[in-house]
Amino acid sequence: MSVKVLFFASLRERLGHGQVTLDIAEPLSVQEVWQRSSGEETLPANVLVSVNQDYADAATLVQLDDEVAFFPPVTGG
Amino acid sequence: MSVKVLFFASLRERLGHGQVTLDIAEPLSVQEVWQRSSGEETLPANVLVSVNQDYADAATLVQLDDEVAFFPPVTGG
Amino acid sequence: MIQIELRATPFDPWQYLADWQAQQHQGNTHSGAAAVFVGTMRDFNEGDDVTRMYLEHYPGMTERQLDKIVADAVRTWKLDDALVVHRVGEIEPAQPIVLVAVWSAHRGEAFDACRHIMEVLKHTAPFWKKETLPDGSVRWVDGNTPLQRQPLA
Amino acid sequence: MIQIELRATPFDPWQYLADWQAQQHQGNTHSGAAAVFVGTMRDFNEGDDVTRMYLEHYPGMTERQLDKIVADAVRTWKLDDALVVHRVGEIEPAQPIVLVAVWSAHRGEAFDACRHIMEVLKHTAPFWKKETLPDGSVRWVDGNTPLQRQPLA
């Protein structure tokens, strides 16, 4: 079972990858998904996160087969 | 010397005329112009007035050759 | 640029804007924001069906007041361009009555200026609506806007 | 009716509205008010000339967030219709980036809803701008919007 992790914009460029697939056996917090997918300790305060395309936070629990994304503040419009 | 007096919309229909020319020898207040042009005593509170196409009030002094207009509250847009 | 137009014939506000933009804004790279309002005649008012409308105005003063309203807004919000088109005469349901469009560097100014122009226009520009009901009777629309002058002493 | 469109090619927002109105609003006699916002790419930002821009998005989530923003506004302000068109990909100065248009019975609701959609879109819809400067260097535009989640404990 796995979790798909996406990175966008300047964050993708900084980490050097746009997508990671994590094999997980049980639900993880967003914070743990960040550590395992980015190799960095703490989720930076200016990084936004979504789970299944809805905004979430570091404590949100990620289930098997969920899609998690990390990205910088948005600048559309 | 004269003053041109105009009436618009429901006020024109109520008074039965859209334009009156008053012969005057000296400046008059808007209130006096109303009396002489409408035949009614007091300018009603819901009648707007302009002098030379700018909003004015009952006390505004009307000069010879001015254009005065009386009309109901506006309903454009 | 400022443009004010009173017109006695129907118009498509979007096509009007497409044409205006093609003329005035070709390659405009400084106006980041445009805000637009279009007011359209409905087929009901105050609980009654309305079949058509006559829009009376005060030739000369109407243009003068619109010019002042728009020039004030352009100055206050530092607009790049402003356009007001207003119908007069016979109008049928679903026809546009008024178009207000403003261009600015920033969206806050554009929204504020567009809304302000509409509010002041509705409260001060000399237009009067006369509605025709399905039975053929006519009535003047009541103004429910604050008076522009002080109450009489 | 609600329509949301992401598009990778330039568009004329006024012609788009003319076409939409011709399709959807033929004889629409209940929407008395339309409020529209168009955001256009400028050729400067934060004091620098900008020659072009790339607009990245999150396929799937971007559409989902726009759908939610617009559906919320339609419900809150009882809108008759709402339309959002947003560019993605390579954009040049003077090209429209975003079009928001709403139709309502009354002008207050139309203005409020249009502005609200724009504000929430700017703060929550996943788009990211990358600018190219005249010397060929590129930079991501800093978001200066409040975060959508609580600070970490």
Side-chain angles (χ1 to χ4, degrees), chain D:
Chain D
M1 174 171 175
I2 294 178
Q3 183 168 320
I4 311 285
E5 182 181 352
L6 295 183
R7 49 185 298 150
T9 53
F11 71 108
D12 176 335
W14 317 121
Q15 196 57 54
Y16 196 104
L17 284 163
D19 294 343
W20 155 275
Q21 187 102 3
Q23 286 168 29
Q24 303 301 330
H25 275 256
Q26 205 64 46
N28 178 336
T29 54
H30 56 285
S31 298
V36 175
F37 179 83
V38 174
T40 297
M41 187 187 160
R42 296 181 297 169
D43 59 0
F44 60 94
N45 189 30
E46 293 169 29
D48 297 307
D49 291 340
V50 178
T51 57
R52 66 175 198 276
M53 192 169 82
Y54 179 76
L55 196 46
E56 181 171 330
H57 75 294
Y58 178 174
M61 180 169 173
T62 305
E63 294 87 335
R64 180 176 167 80
Q65 294 300 316
L66 291 177
D67 283 349
K68 285 172 63 174
I69 294 166
V70 174
D72 280 352
V74 166
R75 207 163 33 238
T76 302
W77 284 282
K78 297 180 176 45
L79 303 178
D80 298 321
D81 299 280
L83 170 67
V84 172
V85 182
H86 204 295
R87 281 293 310 279
V88 296
E90 290 289 348
I91 304 179
E92 293 176 9
Q95 289 183 352
I97 298 172
V98 60
L99 161 64
V100 174
V102 303
W103 285 262
S104 168
H106 302 290
R107 74 184 185 285
E109 284 81 349
F111 275 122
D112 286 344
C114 185
R115 187 164 196 161
H116 177 85
I117 289 171
M118 267 309 297
E119 295 305 318
V120 179
L121 183 160
K122 282 196 95 83
H123 293 169
T124 68
F127 293 104
W128 302 275
K129 289 174 177 159
K130 188 181 199 174
E131 296 175 336
T132 300
L133 305 187
D135 65 4
S137 63
V138 296
R139 66 181 182 194
W140 290 96
V141 175
D142 281 340
N144 48 7
T145 62
L147 294 183
Q148 296 308 310
R149 62 183 169 82
Q150 300 303 310
L152 295 174

Side-chain angles (χ1 to χ4, degrees), chain B:
Chain B
M1 304 296 265
S2 66
V3 168
K4 181 161 88 168
V5 186
L6 304 172
F7 304 91
F8 288 96
S10 57
L11 184 61
R12 181 191 63 243
E13 293 187 351
R14 178 164 76 75
L15 295 177
H17 50 243
Q19 181 169 343
V20 169
T21 302
L22 292 184
D23 292 319
I24 68 172
E26 55 183 3
L28 293 182
S29 73
V30 159
Q31 169 64 31
E32 291 169 306
V33 171
W34 168 260
Q35 286 169 353
R36 290 178 52 176
S37 61
S38 72
E40 296 185 357
E41 195 59 27
T42 308
L43 182 60
N46 66 343
V47 169
L48 302 180
V49 56
S50 66
V51 174
N52 296 333
Q53 306 185 351
D54 278 322
Y55 280 98
D57 61 39
T60 303
L61 216 54
V62 176
Q63 309 292 333
L64 311 186
D65 294 327
D66 279 356
E67 176 177 299
V68 180
F70 297 101
F71 46 82
V74 301
T75 56

Side-chain angles (χ1 to χ4, degrees), chain C residues 13 22 28-29 38 40 68 108 117:
Chain C
N28 178 338
T29 55
V38 174
T40 298
K68 286 172 61 173
I117 289 171

Side-chain angles (χ1 to χ4, degrees), chain A residues 23-69:
Chain A
D23 292 319
I24 68 171
E26 55 182 6
L28 293 181
S29 72
V30 160
Q31 168 63 31
E32 292 168 305
V33 170
W34 169 259
Q35 286 169 352
R36 290 178 53 175
S37 61
S38 73
E40 297 185 356
E41 194 60 27
T42 309
L43 182 61
N46 66 343
V47 170
L48 302 180
V49 55
S50 65
V51 174
N52 296 332
Q53 307 187 350
D54 278 322
Y55 280 99
D57 61 40
T60 302
L61 215 54
V62 177
Q63 308 293 330
L64 311 186
D65 294 327
D66 279 356
E67 176 178 299
V68 180

Side-chain angles (χ1 to χ4, degrees), chain C residues 58-123:
Chain C
Y58 178 173
M61 180 168 174
T62 304
E63 293 88 335
R64 180 176 167 81
Q65 293 299 318
L66 291 177
D67 284 348
K68 286 172 61 173
I69 293 166
V70 174
D72 280 352
V74 166
R75 205 161 36 237
T76 301
W77 285 282
K78 297 181 174 44
L79 303 178
D80 299 320
D81 299 280
L83 169 66
V84 172
V85 182
H86 205 294
R87 282 291 311 277
V88 296
E90 289 290 348
I91 303 178
E92 294 176 9
Q95 288 182 353
I97 298 172
V98 60
L99 162 64
V100 174
V102 303
W103 285 262
S104 168
H106 302 289
R107 74 183 185 284
E109 284 81 347
F111 275 122
D112 286 344
C114 185
R115 188 165 194 159
H116 177 85
I117 289 171
M118 267 308 298
E119 295 304 318
V120 180
L121 182 159
K122 282 196 95 84
H123 293 168

